[in-house]
Amino acid sequence: MNTFLKTLSVAALAGLTLTSVAKAEVSEHFIIHELAQTPQEAATLIRDFIAMDDEWSLNGDFEMMGGAAVGMKICFNSMRGYVGAAGLHNLALMPCGNIAFYEENGQSYLSMLDVGYITTLSPHPSLEEGVALARPAYAEMLSNVLGVE
């Protein structure tokens, strides 16, 4: 009986630990928005916007989790020059728009890395300037296209 209680206690503790890992805190490098659209609809809206606007590029578009989520890599094209000016090794940071659309508990979400992550990885004045230019451009695009603030 004592062994059974110990095993049960260990299993319960493991379950609590796994639950807390699944609900990890989101760092300041992520921008999260609830969406009115499904993940697939939101991705289509972004694709359509980029196809009509020369200031943006779609660098990657892929399904994840068996099609339940969509990942996108987009670039605010004006950002490219700032990244190159900081040293060509920084090109590995491109594109600076890393987005995921997913659903959780019946609610659709957008998760995007804040473009400021690149200055965390590679502090440089040119990158700071680029981030200052790109951050409001991404915010405006997401607001206009997906209706998020």
Side-chain angles (χ1 to χ4, degrees), residues 29 79 82-94 96 114-132 135:
H29 295 292
M79 183 69 181
Y82 294 94
V83 173
L88 294 181
H89 67 282
N90 287 296
L91 292 174
L93 298 169
M94 298 299 290
C96 53
D114 181 288
V115 296
Y117 83 92
I118 65 176
T119 58
T120 299
L121 296 174
S122 184
H124 190 279
S126 289
L127 292 176
E128 295 285 347
E129 289 177 47
V131 167
R135 190 177 273 143

Side-chain angles (χ1 to χ4, degrees), residues 16-101:
L16 288 173
T17 301
L18 290 175
T19 300
S20 64
V21 169
K23 298 292 183 184
E25 291 295 317
V26 177
S27 83
E28 74 276 4
H29 295 292
F30 288 89
I31 298 168
I32 310 287
H33 290 290
E34 290 185 358
L35 298 173
Q37 308 86 359
T38 67
Q40 294 75 18
E41 291 168 338
T44 297
L45 289 170
I46 295 291
R47 276 185 218 105
D48 291 348
F49 170 81
I50 290 172
M52 301 297 290
D53 193 318
D54 291 337
E55 292 184 6
W56 298 87
S57 297
L58 178 62
N59 300 86
D61 183 5
F62 46 93
E63 290 186 349
M64 300 179 287
M65 299 170 42
V70 179
M72 299 182 94
K73 296 192 175 289
I74 65 174
C75 188
F76 180 58
N77 293 330
S78 296
M79 183 69 181
R80 296 175 194 266
Y82 294 94
V83 173
L88 294 181
H89 67 282
N90 287 296
L91 292 174
L93 298 169
M94 298 299 290
C96 53
N98 297 287
I99 299 175
F101 299 105

